[in-house]
Amino acid sequence: MEATTKGNGAAKSGIPAKVPAVAQPLAEEPAEIASNIRYHAQYSPHFSPFKFEPQQAYYAAAQSIRDRLVQQWNETYLHYHKVDPKQTYYLSMEFLQGRALTNAIGNLDIQGAYADALNKLGHELEEIVEQEKDAALGNGGLGRLASCFLDSMATLNLPAWGYGLRYRYGLFKQLITKAGQEEVAEDWLEKFSPWEIVRHDVVFPVRFFGHVEVLPTGARKWVGGEVIKALAYDVPIPGYKTKNTISLRLWEAKAGAEDFDLFQFNDGQYESAAQLHSRAQQICAVLYPGDATENGKLLRLKQQFFLCSASLQDIICRFKERKDGTGPRQWSEFPSKVAVQLNDTHPTLAIPELMRLLMDEEGLGWDEAWDVTTRTIAYTNHTVLPEALEKWSQAVMKKLLPRHMEIIEEIDKRFMAMVQSTRPDLESKISSMRILDQNPQKPVVRMANLCVVSGHTVNGVAQLHSDILKAELFADYVSIWPTKFQNKTNGITPRRWLRFCSPELSQIITKWLKTDQWVTNLDLLADLRNFADNADLHAEWESAKKANKQRLADYIFRVTGVNIDPNSLFDIQVKRIHEYKRQLLNILGVVYRYKKLKEMSPEERKSTTSRTIMIGGKAFATYTNAKRIVKLVNDVGAVVNTDPEVNNYLKVVFVPNYNVSVAEMLIPGSELSQHISTAGMEASGTSNMKFALNGCLIIGTLDGANVEIREEIGEENFFLFGATADEVPRLRKERENGLFKPDPRFEEAKQYIRSGAFGSYDYNPLLDSLEGDSGYGRGDYFLVGYDFPSYIDSQEKVDEAYKDRKRWIKMSILSTAGSGKFSSDRTISQYAKEIWNIEECRVP
């Protein structure tokens, strides 16, 4: 929210004169910190002088904190340079960082000092924090996972870097209007980000298009086309209560002055004079640009290659800088100094690009380059959804990256020869296992296959998901390389997702455990089980939850104008809007609940459990059904929330523009959260872990990490419903054969929407996806109808459990107590030992 300064008194408009402007970059005392903040306001100004409103105070405070981070950062990299450990480079198209200020002062353990310093300057820390916009560098779980991983790498003192792109406009900012979701560009860089540091000396050329030349020696070289510069911006990532501060390096695409055609410009041809500049700007403009057109596909592939090429050139440059005693390093040592992790298939081009750099630029032969590449690169799979397993048109690949297409063809050829000579029994499987799909209608490059063939390790992100990968998606590869496949169940950072976002609950946990060590050793939460029936803990636990609910109710009123009752059950589903995540099941359940409330007498309503149902998340701009779901939630809310008969017992709120900061408000205030994807389709999910950690109970299917959460917290503390993953294929078959009999309650809910009870918008196209037995966009592929009755029954159990306050609070405590396994510190320790082979490198 934009803060105004009306009524804030004179102090805020100018800097109090009694605080001297003195640079004290490593200040720890509030008075010195206040001086350093004032120094930045005066001598690193970004605004007119004499103004010191919340916005100016935020930027000056951020620069003051950055001083401390830069110092720790320099010490960290100097230490790495001396020790020369093996380092991990984590390549991801998304990093969903959230706000940096609270996290930085929390990890540096200087919250109190900064709060006092800002008071001396006439400001409140809470208000200053609100000035920061979330960095718009990601979309959903994939990007947030990458950010949790960086926090854990730094906290565990591991030598690691993140590499991503510096998107100017992010995915989009979501506005909710009468028409549903509207997308506008994110404005997080409209002013500037005080956390990033541009490295003008770290610039690499990245080529597109062109052709391959064969040199007289027989060597091949990629030439011509267009060359864009990649410029590095570094964002410091501090560990929790440790000196180690690592880096998220983001690449910006640039063209140089020499690419500006002055002659054309003076001739009035302004657009063509700056053609390369405008093409460069497109690369880092938007995350996941629409790819329905040929141009859109080219741009996405450009983005992916830009990330891979710049990052690998940087990694190689760092490797070559180091000499051992006898002269330059041997390339065979590269995998003992470098681990590259591909976060999903988006950075797959790192494989042919590393091969190209080693062969064409460094002069290695194929066998040596292949040995280095396959011992360096590992791949994390995040999905079994066929549409999300990237497949690129061979024609597009050949046009944009001709040399890489040659390399991919050679990898493919050698892989097939290897299978034919060592595994003749797999002959019939080769066409589906190979990298190039030669379907004459649509020849494509299968990126996941390229990753599996070329990486030394492939991992899934939850036990169920990894089992499905081994048994189904990659089963044939498992028979060739049984040890290549691992599971690494995802995790979340307990710093951002409990310690900082729910200070009241954190203090209670620390008090009862008699230690705050749980912040870095989350397994200690298990000791809360000893107090699960303690009446004093129950009272404190409930009051902390109450405070979080009140804060959330205030927020909801501020952003939506809807008044919600903090005494009702807060029931939340927030995640990307997707048919497999089944927000449609949720809202159909709400419609059924509303209809039943309408049919009750006023007396009967009084005995029900009051609920506030909140749904939030972005629908991809071109995903029509997802956008219809957003519209439906809003239309249902508009009717329910203004219905005087039921609005004391039911409210429905769509929370706009879901992002990390919104999650930090919603999750601590939530009491029930919905993780209701069709079993077998959600690789892991990580918001489920955040809710469970905050003592929120889950209603969910046996999918992704839900399976492990239920094991850890106890099945009696989890509201389970729905088909299991192994039943889904049979149920789909039965549906195709016309054997599905819908539950009358399901028919009733759909009919109620069709009756126009929620307005005149035509929801038939959306509801039709649930009808029929087969056909494109029909036949209820995600089993909403099949799971509806068990979902409604499970929701009734929730209502009953919530009435028994003692039972509910005990379940809530046991949920937090069972969440120790889901720390990203555990996940990253496993990656470090079992995939990357890197060790702690603590700054002394």
Side-chain angles (χ1 to χ4, degrees):
M1 305 296 290
E2 289 295 324
T4 60
T5 52
K6 290 191 198 83
N8 283 344
K12 296 200 175 182
S13 57
I15 306 174
K18 61 181 185 295
V19 177
V22 181
Q24 309 205 35
L26 305 181
E28 296 194 4
E29 293 306 311
E32 295 170 350
I33 290 172
S35 284
N36 198 49
I37 293 173
R38 169 130 194 235
Y39 171 84
H40 279 292
Q42 200 163 327
Y43 296 110
S44 336
H46 294 277
F47 300 92
S48 321
F50 315 123
K51 250 190 179 174
F52 198 62
E53 286 161 13
Q55 189 166 208
Q56 287 81 15
Y58 158 67
Y59 281 106
Q63 287 174 299
S64 172
I65 296 161
R66 195 180 82 169
D67 289 344
R68 175 86 174 262
L69 292 174
V70 166
Q71 170 69 21
Q72 293 195 180
W73 205 3
N74 293 342
E75 286 176 21
T76 304
Y77 284 102
L78 188 64
H79 183 62
Y80 289 174
H81 194 75
K82 272 193 206 130
V83 178
D84 189 28
K86 182 176 183 180
Q87 300 194 38
T88 288
Y89 302 95
Y90 195 85
L91 269 60
S92 180
M93 285 300 280
E94 300 184 36
F95 287 90
L96 204 50
Q97 287 288 98
R99 288 174 172 159
L101 195 147
T102 323
N103 193 67
I105 58 176
N107 276 3
L108 294 168
D109 202 20
I110 48 176
Q111 301 106 310
Y114 264 82
D116 293 350
L118 284 161
N119 276 150
K120 291 182 191 301
L121 296 166
H123 287 285
E124 295 293 326
L125 177 61
E126 289 69 34
E127 188 186 13
I128 298 310
V129 162
E130 288 297 314
Q131 298 296 312
E132 181 174 1
K133 293 179 193 291
D134 279 38
L137 299 170
N139 172 28
L142 180 94
R144 185 53 235 171
L145 181 78
S147 294
C148 281
F149 279 3
L150 293 179
D151 183 81
S152 287
M153 290 166 184
T155 298
L156 294 169
N157 303 305
L158 291 169
W161 295 63
Y163 277 111
L165 295 182
R166 185 176 177 268
Y167 303 104
R168 186 169 185 88
Y169 301 114
L171 185 76
F172 61 82
K173 189 165 162 180
Q174 182 189 52
L175 304 179
I176 299 298
T177 65
K178 283 268 183 286
Q181 166 181 298
E182 286 185 17
E183 305 87 18
V184 296
E186 283 273 14
D187 58 353
W188 76 288
L189 282 176
E190 208 69 341
K191 293 194 172 71
F192 69 106
S193 164
W195 304 104
E196 59 184 19
I197 291 169
V198 58
R199 303 291 191 193
H200 290 291
D201 55 330
V202 182
V203 183
F204 295 100
V206 178
R207 187 182 306 275
F208 300 111
F209 306 110
H211 61 278
V212 180
E213 250 176 28
V214 185
L215 305 177
T217 57
R220 306 178 80 82
K221 197 144 183 80
W222 181 25
V223 295
E226 61 184 40
V227 178
I228 304 270
K229 294 189 176 91
L231 170 67
Y233 283 75
D234 281 346
V235 179
I237 310 289
Y240 179 75
K241 294 189 180 179
T242 172
K243 282 187 184 166
N244 286 53
T245 299
I246 62 171
S247 196
L248 167 56
R249 179 158 282 183
L250 301 170
W251 299 107
E252 166 91 297
K254 286 253 194 260
E258 69 278 9
D259 299 311
F260 183 80
D261 192 323
L262 204 55
F263 182 83
Q264 278 191 333
F265 190 86
N266 286 330
D267 191 36
Q269 301 174 49
Y270 308 128
E271 275 80 19
S272 54
Q275 204 171 17
L276 200 63
H277 289 75
S278 96
R279 283 202 205 126
Q281 275 185 328
Q282 291 161 12
I283 293 173
C284 295
V286 171
L287 169 64
Y288 301 140
D291 60 355
T293 63
E294 174 81 0
N295 273 344
K297 290 183 177 65
L298 269 173
L299 181 56
R300 276 212 196 184
L301 200 56
K302 268 188 174 182
Q303 289 183 326
Q304 295 187 358
F305 180 65
F306 186 75
L307 168 66
C308 296
S309 181
S311 304
L312 285 169
Q313 290 182 68
D314 194 29
I315 292 165
I316 285 175
C317 191
R318 196 167 304 121
F319 174 77
K320 286 165 72 174
E321 267 172 13
R322 298 301 306 249
K323 308 270 193 283
D324 52 27
T326 55
R329 264 194 174 150
Q330 300 302 303
W331 284 104
S332 56
E333 286 177 62
F334 190 79
S336 63
K337 291 296 174 189
V338 173
V340 172
Q341 189 69 32
L342 309 181
N343 191 26
D344 213 348
T345 51
H346 311 127
T348 303
L349 290 166
I351 294 162
E353 174 64 353
L354 183 53
M355 289 293 289
R356 182 191 74 82
L357 289 166
L358 292 172
M359 294 190 297
D360 301 0
E361 305 293 326
E362 303 298 336
L364 274 66
W366 179 278
D367 292 337
E368 197 186 348
W370 181 247
D371 177 64
V372 169
T373 300
T374 54
R375 289 195 295 129
T376 300
I377 289 178
Y379 158 59
T380 301
N381 171 280
H382 282 274
T383 182
V384 294
L385 291 181
E387 73 269 21
L389 287 170
E390 292 189 294
K391 297 177 178 73
W392 287 101
S393 143
Q394 292 183 25
V396 170
M397 184 77 74
K398 203 175 199 124
K399 178 177 171 183
L400 187 70
L401 303 168
R403 179 66 178 122
H404 299 77
M405 193 61 204
E406 288 185 346
I407 291 168
I408 292 167
E409 285 167 347
E410 185 65 24
I411 295 172
D412 187 51
K413 191 175 97 188
R414 289 176 182 236
F415 170 69
M416 290 194 295
M418 181 274 289
V419 176
Q420 280 156 346
S421 65
T422 60
R423 291 293 300 275
D425 57 310
L426 288 174
E427 184 74 46
S428 64
K429 301 283 179 71
I430 286 183
S431 67
S432 65
M433 293 174 75
R434 62 179 297 189
I435 295 156
L436 300 178
D437 178 347
Q438 299 296 25
N439 170 351
Q441 267 72 55
K442 202 185 170 195
V444 293
V445 181
R446 302 168 174 142
M447 303 308 257
N449 291 20
L450 179 54
C451 289
V452 174
V453 167
S454 314
H456 60 82
T457 307
V458 175
N459 73 282
V461 289
Q463 194 61 57
L464 174 68
H465 171 235
S466 298
D467 292 345
I468 291 172
L469 289 184
K470 291 206 304 208
E472 295 171 31
L473 200 64
F474 298 142
D476 295 325
Y477 299 109
V478 175
S479 76
I480 302 179
W481 298 297
T483 58
K484 185 179 277 204
F485 297 84
Q486 297 187 12
N487 174 54
K488 294 285 167 278
T489 297
N490 283 340
I492 57 170
T493 167
R495 272 74 62 184
R496 185 178 289 269
W497 294 114
L498 179 54
R499 176 64 192 82
F500 305 149
C501 72
S502 187
E504 295 91 344
L505 196 61
S506 296
Q507 279 159 6
I508 292 165
I509 292 169
T510 297
K511 173 185 158 184
W512 285 81
L513 295 181
K514 297 190 165 54
T515 174
D516 65 356
Q517 295 292 303
W518 60 268
V519 181
T520 48
N521 179 5
L522 206 59
D523 289 331
L524 294 177
L525 292 180
D527 290 345
L528 288 171
R529 290 180 178 135
N530 303 332
F531 314 111
D533 290 304
N534 185 298
D536 294 338
L537 175 57
H538 276 226
E540 292 176 26
W541 199 266
E542 186 151 41
S543 81
K545 186 55 85 174
K546 263 281 167 53
N548 285 330
K549 286 177 75 178
Q550 186 58 57
R551 195 179 298 142
L552 173 52
D554 296 343
Y555 173 79
I556 293 295
F557 182 69
R558 207 161 70 233
V559 297
T560 68
V562 179
N563 243 318
I564 60 176
D565 175 9
N567 295 311
S568 63
L569 165 57
F570 280 11
D571 164 350
I572 299 183
Q573 185 184 19
V574 278
K575 45 187 85 248
R576 289 183 301 124
I577 310 290
H578 197 296
E579 284 165 287
Y580 90 81
K581 294 179 186 281
R582 299 202 296 190
Q583 286 90 353
L584 186 53
L585 174 59
N586 185 346
I587 196 66
L588 283 167
V590 173
V591 166
Y592 181 75
R593 187 182 190 91
Y594 174 61
K595 185 169 188 290
K596 294 298 115 182
L597 280 166
K598 289 292 281 178
E599 291 164 2
M600 288 178 189
S601 68
E603 275 315 299
E604 288 172 313
R605 285 185 200 126
K606 282 183 184 152
S607 67
T608 63
T609 300
S610 295
R611 276 210 205 194
T612 300
I613 294 156
M614 298 171 235
I615 298 176
K618 293 177 179 179
F620 199 70
T622 54
Y623 188 172
T624 314
N625 260 359
K627 292 179 83 167
R628 287 181 180 128
I629 293 168
V630 174
K631 168 113 176 95
L632 179 57
V633 174
N634 282 288
D635 285 352
V636 171
V639 170
V640 172
N641 300 345
T642 53
D643 183 331
E645 288 183 318
V646 300
N647 64 10
N648 285 333
Y649 307 99
L650 181 64
K651 288 266 173 81
V652 181
V653 180
F654 189 90
V655 185
N657 203 40
Y658 181 57
N659 62 17
V660 176
S661 295
V662 175
E664 287 169 16
M665 183 70 71
L666 287 168
I667 291 169
S670 178
E671 294 171 289
L672 178 77
S673 74
Q674 306 209 25
H675 303 275
I676 57 179
S677 49
T678 313
M681 303 203 78
E682 185 72 86
S684 165
T686 44
S687 69
N688 45 6
M689 302 170 185
K690 293 160 196 164
F691 283 103
L693 177 63
N694 279 272
C696 170
L697 301 182
I698 290 175
I699 181 169
T701 49
L702 274 182
D703 198 18
N706 281 2
V707 178
E708 291 160 80
I709 291 172
R710 184 167 170 264
E711 276 168 16
E712 295 292 315
I713 70 174
E715 50 196 63
E716 66 286 359
N717 302 311
F718 188 104
F719 296 99
L720 181 69
F721 75 95
T724 59
D726 52 352
E727 294 169 337
V728 167
R730 172 179 61 79
L731 292 168
R732 286 189 178 138
K733 250 292 139 298
E734 287 174 7
R735 176 80 187 224
E736 275 175 37
N737 296 331
L739 301 173
F740 173 66
K741 294 277 173 286
D743 186 283
R745 294 173 291 182
F746 181 57
E747 296 303 294
E748 207 180 325
K750 288 185 300 185
Q751 194 39 49
Y752 201 44
I753 296 171
R754 287 197 164 112
S755 73
F758 305 105
S760 59
Y761 183 81
D762 180 13
Y763 282 109
N764 283 313
L766 177 62
L767 297 173
D768 283 351
S769 71
L770 308 173
E771 309 296 354
D773 297 325
S774 60
Y776 181 73
R778 288 175 70 80
D780 194 9
Y781 185 75
F782 300 102
L783 273 60
V784 175
Y786 181 84
D787 280 351
F788 190 81
S790 65
Y791 175 67
I792 295 296
D793 296 344
S794 193
Q795 287 285 19
E796 282 172 11
K797 290 183 188 140
V798 171
D799 287 336
E800 280 317 300
Y802 195 71
K803 286 175 182 163
D804 181 347
R805 298 311 301 147
K806 212 165 149 185
R807 178 185 164 206
W808 187 272
I809 294 165
K810 179 179 180 175
M811 289 166 80
S812 173
I813 293 167
L814 290 173
S815 173
T816 298
S819 293
K821 172 180 177 177
F822 303 105
S823 168
S824 48
D825 298 344
R826 185 261 321 145
T827 313
I828 285 297
S829 299
Q830 291 177 333
Y831 274 99
K833 284 189 198 72
E834 296 160 23
I835 298 181
W836 302 331
N837 193 22
I838 62 168
E839 287 173 352
E840 175 180 280
C841 189
R842 184 190 291 265
V843 175

